[in-house]
Amino acid sequence: MSTKHDTPLFDKKIILNAVKDSFKKLNPAYLIKNPVMFIVGIGAVLTSIIFVMDVVEKNPTSFDLQIAIWLWFTLLFANFAEAIAEGRGKAQSKNLRKSRTNTIARKLIGKEEVKVSALELRSGDSVLCEVGDLIPADGEVIDGVASVDESAITGESAPVIRESGGDRSAVTGGTKVLSDRIIIRITSNPGETFIDRMILLVEGAKRKKTPNEIALSILLSGLTIVFLIVVVTLKAFFNYYHITLSQDISVVSVPVLIALLVCLIPTTIGGLLSAIGISGMDRLLKHNVIAMSGRAVEAAGDIDVLLLDKTGTITLGNRMATELVPTPEVDENYLADVAQLASLADETPEGRSIVVLAKEKFGIRERHINELNAQFIQFSAKTQMSGVNILSPDGSPTRMIRKGSLEAIKKYISEETNANISAQSDYMFTQMIGVDIAMAGGTPLVVVENKKILGLIQLKDVVKGGIKERFEQLRKMGIKSVMITGDNQLTATAIAAEAGVDDFIAQAKPEDKLSKIREEQAKGKMVGMIGDGTNDAPALAQADVGIAMNSGTQAAREAGNMIDLDSSPTKLIEVVEIGKQLLMTRGALTTFSIANDVAKYFAIIPAIAVSLFATNGLNGPLSVLNIMNLASPQSAILSAVIFNALIIIALIPLALKGIKYRPEGAATVLKRNILFYGVGGLIIPFIGIKLIDMLLNYLKFV
């Protein structure tokens, strides 16, 4: 895993840029998007105007000035939290911007090659790329196979293979061809490339509020209205008190009421809400995962069911020949020789692995097709066979060699000889061994020469290391894992047992994946899907969280709402953890913020009300509620304003890093959340305001 995307929590350059952006975000057009901070902004402006008017009237007070300053700080600190989160995203995108190049592309017009700027390419154009060429834009390989350096995107130095006609055909603009020659069909227009979209998303420029954020913003706006009514009512109450008892109420000036309102509304979570969302996407990028929306990150935290493709996801992908099993009367070396001959015209990874196995395990050198007087039968999906006819000088076949699935070979022999081979001993042996191979998670292929069965080849798709432990972690998180494969029931059962998945669907078609997702969603479940092929695209689009492998097809990448740059399906563990971490962080800080507001209410109001119903210049009966024994009403309100501003700064690291996630039940998490952040949110303001009050009076600021 690359460390390219790791950025220090507080980088000097990021902090300096964030300070500048904090002032830029004071623009009312921007502030109005956050109702809570917009109210704070209005309060800061009004308090500043009142102080200026007092200066003009030659009756200024340092108290009003301090309130105005700290209200502006509250606003700037909230802007700073968001700006530093965005700044970290911009730092992450630095290398991505470097990979955007205006290269010269070799555009194909018919059979002619024309050199054009990459910016002139449009979707549907075809370009030629050879060794050393930078791929000019996103596209799909339509001809050839090549080794490609994708380190500019993934951070990994190891080259990857990109080829036509499969699930490894997608290429990304800015990556480099290291070998061979490929023709690419462009799939994006300038400004719409994968890198362009990544940059915008990483920097937060295209981040939209998630449904949860919108709902929370509405709740915070409602609380703000409630406390606005409280403060206005308080002013009316003090006015009545003044008229009735003819006592001084200068303590309830407009700046004081504004400061009180700012302290009571949920400014803490209001100032940190955007930073929490942006940092969630940033943490995903550290794991080389691009989220196409904040909603996808949130949904990842709520996943109940995860659907995974077997091939390339749970297993390494290409089935490899691992063993040869001859019939009793056939020599193993002879079987290896014939199996290799039958695979020379098979260009599939399975076919090539048979040639390699015969060479490495049995010492049989690879033949060159041109040296053989032979007629080759290429592998096709329709026949499920490949083979060769060794010809005599007169052109008649002397050896007819075939390799294929058990059913395909049975059909081939029966059609050629008009015989029922089911009762033959060789066939019965082959069928029995084939069942054993399938039950062990392998795929059997049968080798025949001149209609006689020689033995079997065992193909095995190897389960990725450590994936069983990963599925156990998912289980602890309450997530059900379902493997989907086109393999038969026996093979699927063996792989499922080895991988440790909760359930599986065998012999699945693309529509089966879609049907399973809809079935689970109908039960109210949140469904995640991992895939890399074009046939996975409908399911990826339907799933609540669709994670597309970067190594897969363009269709899959377009359909998913997350892209794994490392193409590692086990990355899902980190994705889920980050999603849950995001939800927990937002919930914890919301709990802390509201608890803060409650504490500040009971800390400030009694201090302000000590003079109510007082006689003979003494404290009134409400003074007993002033349990903190704050020095004066002015000191109480100023201490609360300062605490309200500083707590935003203090919580920025937590908003950026997130709360550590542990695989626990919801009840346990909720209990800890309430005890730590709820009770803590009630206690900390009392301590903080008291300490600030003591410091202000020591410094004689009030």
Side-chain angles (χ1 to χ4, degrees):
M1 175 71 182
S2 166
T3 59
K4 176 189 83 167
H5 300 299
D6 292 340
T7 304
L9 190 61
F10 293 108
D11 180 84
K12 184 178 179 181
K13 189 175 181 180
I14 293 175
I15 290 177
L16 290 174
N17 289 331
V19 171
K20 296 176 186 175
D21 289 342
S22 300
F23 287 92
K24 294 178 182 178
K25 291 177 181 292
L26 292 176
N27 185 341
Y30 183 85
L31 283 178
I32 202 169
K33 296 176 183 178
N34 188 335
V36 176
M37 301 317 298
F38 185 66
I39 292 292
V40 176
I42 292 174
V45 171
L46 288 176
T47 307
S48 300
I49 292 173
I50 291 171
F51 176 75
V52 171
M53 291 175 63
D54 289 343
V55 170
V56 172
E57 295 174 1
K58 298 182 179 179
N59 189 33
T61 64
S62 63
F63 177 68
D64 287 353
L65 175 61
Q66 291 180 79
I67 287 179
I69 290 173
W70 282 103
L71 289 181
W72 282 113
F73 272 130
T74 303
L75 201 59
L76 288 170
F77 289 165
N79 288 347
F80 178 78
E82 184 176 11
I84 200 168
E86 290 177 353
R88 285 168 57 80
K90 290 176 181 177
Q92 306 283 23
S93 70
K94 185 178 179 181
N95 287 330
L96 293 176
R97 287 189 178 280
K98 289 179 180 178
S99 66
R100 289 196 310 182
T101 56
N102 182 19
T103 58
I104 300 299
R106 299 157 67 181
K107 181 180 177 181
L108 297 176
I109 302 176
K111 294 184 178 181
E112 294 186 9
E113 181 184 316
V114 180
K115 292 186 177 182
V116 300
S117 168
L119 298 176
E120 297 179 25
L121 294 174
R122 295 294 183 270
S123 180
D125 291 342
S126 295
V127 297
L128 172 66
C129 289
E130 295 181 318
V131 179
D133 290 346
L134 285 176
I135 295 173
D138 296 354
E140 287 197 302
V141 179
I142 58 175
D143 185 52
V145 57
S147 176
V148 179
D149 177 9
E150 294 188 344
S151 59
I153 306 299
T154 66
E156 299 291 345
S157 58
V160 295
I161 301 299
R162 294 289 175 261
E163 58 188 342
S164 63
D167 292 342
R168 302 291 184 271
S169 60
V171 290
T172 305
T175 57
K176 188 176 184 178
V177 178
L178 298 179
S179 71
D180 301 291
R181 174 183 184 274
I182 51 176
I183 296 176
I184 301 166
R185 182 174 61 242
I186 303 300
T187 56
S188 63
N189 295 315
E192 301 172 358
T193 66
F194 182 58
I195 290 178
D196 288 321
R197 287 184 290 129
M198 282 174 64
I199 291 170
L200 291 173
L201 289 163
V202 170
E203 292 182 349
K206 286 222 170 177
R207 198 187 81 89
K208 296 181 180 178
K209 284 188 176 182
T210 66
N212 284 348
E213 278 186 281
I214 294 171
L216 185 55
S217 295
I218 294 171
L219 174 63
L220 298 181
S221 299
L223 289 173
T224 300
I225 293 171
V226 169
F227 282 115
L228 181 62
I229 295 171
V230 168
V231 172
V232 171
T233 305
L234 188 66
K235 176 65 174 175
F237 178 77
F238 271 81
N239 283 340
Y240 174 80
Y241 162 75
H242 170 66
I243 294 170
T244 307
L245 300 179
S246 301
Q247 294 185 345
D248 179 35
I249 59 163
S250 60
V251 69
V252 204
S253 63
V254 173
V256 168
L257 292 174
I258 291 172
L260 180 62
L261 174 63
V262 170
C263 289
L264 296 184
I265 63 177
T267 50
T268 305
I269 184 63
L272 297 172
L273 190 58
S274 293
I276 294 169
I278 295 170
S279 62
M281 299 179 74
D282 176 65
R283 287 195 295 275
L284 267 181
L285 186 62
K286 287 182 179 179
H287 291 87
N288 266 11
V289 178
I290 297 293
M292 296 305 179
S293 69
R295 183 173 186 175
V297 184
E298 282 186 355
D302 289 328
I303 285 178
D304 301 300
V305 180
L306 174 66
L307 273 65
L308 307 97
D309 234 3
K310 185 209 74 171
T311 306
T313 303
I314 292 174
T315 62
L316 292 176
N318 297 326
R319 294 176 299 179
M320 309 295 289
T322 58
E323 189 179 354
L324 299 178
V325 185
T327 56
E329 67 274 16
V330 176
D331 182 72
E332 189 178 25
N333 287 283
Y334 186 78
L335 174 61
D337 183 76
V338 175
Q340 191 188 70
L341 284 171
S343 304
L344 292 178
D346 186 354
E347 292 299 323
T348 65
E350 293 90 343
R352 290 196 290 267
S353 75
I354 296 170
V355 175
V356 172
L357 178 67
K359 182 180 178 180
E360 293 182 350
K361 188 173 180 179
F362 299 94
I364 302 171
R365 69 178 184 87
E366 185 178 345
R367 283 84 156 186
H368 296 285
I369 293 176
N370 296 332
E371 295 178 1
L372 298 172
N373 185 24
Q375 179 185 28
F376 289 93
I377 293 89
Q378 294 186 344
F379 176 85
S380 74
K382 185 177 181 180
T383 64
Q384 294 290 301
M385 284 195 311
S386 68
V388 60
N389 292 332
I390 306 297
L391 305 177
S392 64
D394 64 0
S396 60
T398 59
R399 300 174 68 188
M400 295 181 292
I401 298 170
R402 298 290 186 273
K403 171 208 70 171
S405 67
L406 189 63
E407 288 301 314
I409 293 297
K410 180 182 178 182
K411 184 179 179 182
Y412 162 72
I413 295 176
S414 298
E415 286 181 350
E416 292 287 325
T417 63
N418 294 316
N420 184 2
I421 68 164
S422 298
Q424 295 180 14
S425 60
D426 286 346
Y427 179 80
M428 293 175 68
F429 172 85
T430 303
Q431 192 176 42
M432 181 179 64
I433 300 298
V435 170
D436 292 340
I437 291 173
M439 290 184 69
T443 301
L445 296 180
V446 183
V447 181
V448 298
E449 181 179 0
N450 296 335
K451 315 293 189 307
K452 178 176 173 58
I453 297 174
L454 301 182
L456 295 98
I457 304 168
Q458 176 177 290
L459 299 179
K460 192 162 175 59
D461 197 355
V462 181
V463 173
K464 293 182 176 180
I467 201 163
K468 191 169 186 176
E469 291 74 18
R470 291 288 198 169
F471 286 132
E472 181 60 33
Q473 284 183 268
L474 285 175
R475 205 170 289 114
K476 289 180 181 178
M477 295 178 186
I479 299 171
K480 178 184 177 183
S481 55
V482 181
M483 181 186 78
I484 299 179
T485 176
D487 288 337
N488 61 60
Q489 192 75 18
L490 287 174
T491 302
T493 301
I495 294 290
E498 187 177 351
V501 295
D502 297 312
D503 198 3
F504 67 90
I505 301 173
Q507 297 176 318
K509 300 174 183 173
E511 53 267 28
D512 295 329
K513 302 176 185 179
L514 196 60
S515 175
K516 180 64 176 177
I517 291 173
R518 287 172 175 169
E519 179 189 327
E520 294 291 345
Q521 288 174 332
K523 298 176 184 176
K525 303 289 182 67
M526 295 284 285
V527 182
M529 168 74 188
I530 296 176
D532 60 359
T534 300
N535 63 340
D536 295 324
L540 288 169
Q542 179 66 35
D544 299 288
V545 180
I547 304 177
M549 303 291 104
N550 188 52
S551 61
T553 63
Q554 187 71 20
R557 297 200 301 185
E558 292 289 342
N561 50 23
M562 287 189 186
I563 296 175
D564 178 15
L565 300 179
D566 293 331
S567 301
S568 170
T570 58
K571 197 73 67 61
L572 190 277
I573 303 292
E574 284 81 5
V575 172
V576 171
E577 286 181 350
I578 290 169
K580 290 185 178 294
Q581 189 184 42
L582 174 64
L583 296 173
M584 289 171 57
T585 303
R586 187 185 294 142
L589 291 184
T590 300
T591 303
F592 185 87
S593 180
I594 294 173
N596 260 243
D597 297 335
V598 174
K600 284 181 285 188
Y601 186 90
F602 287 102
I604 300 168
I605 297 299
I608 295 176
V610 293
S611 62
L612 282 175
F613 310 113
T615 58
N616 301 321
L618 301 175
N619 290 335
L622 295 180
S623 61
V624 296
L625 298 176
N626 187 20
I627 58 175
M628 294 175 64
N629 196 29
L630 300 177
S632 66
Q634 291 83 3
S635 178
I637 196 71
L638 187 56
S639 299
V641 170
I642 295 173
F643 175 84
N644 196 62
L646 294 179
I647 198 67
I648 294 175
I649 284 291
L651 291 174
I652 287 177
L654 184 61
L656 296 179
K657 292 178 66 177
I659 294 170
K660 186 177 181 180
Y661 172 74
R662 304 185 189 99
E664 299 172 327
T668 304
V669 174
L670 180 62
K671 184 179 179 181
R672 185 172 59 247
N673 188 25
I674 292 175
L675 286 174
F676 191 82
Y677 294 98
V679 176
L682 284 172
I683 296 173
I684 289 175
F686 286 97
I687 299 172
I689 290 172
K690 180 61 180 179
L691 291 174
I692 295 170
D693 175 75
M694 293 169 62
L695 182 62
L696 290 176
N697 283 276
Y698 177 78
L699 298 174
K700 301 186 184 304
F701 281 178
V702 290

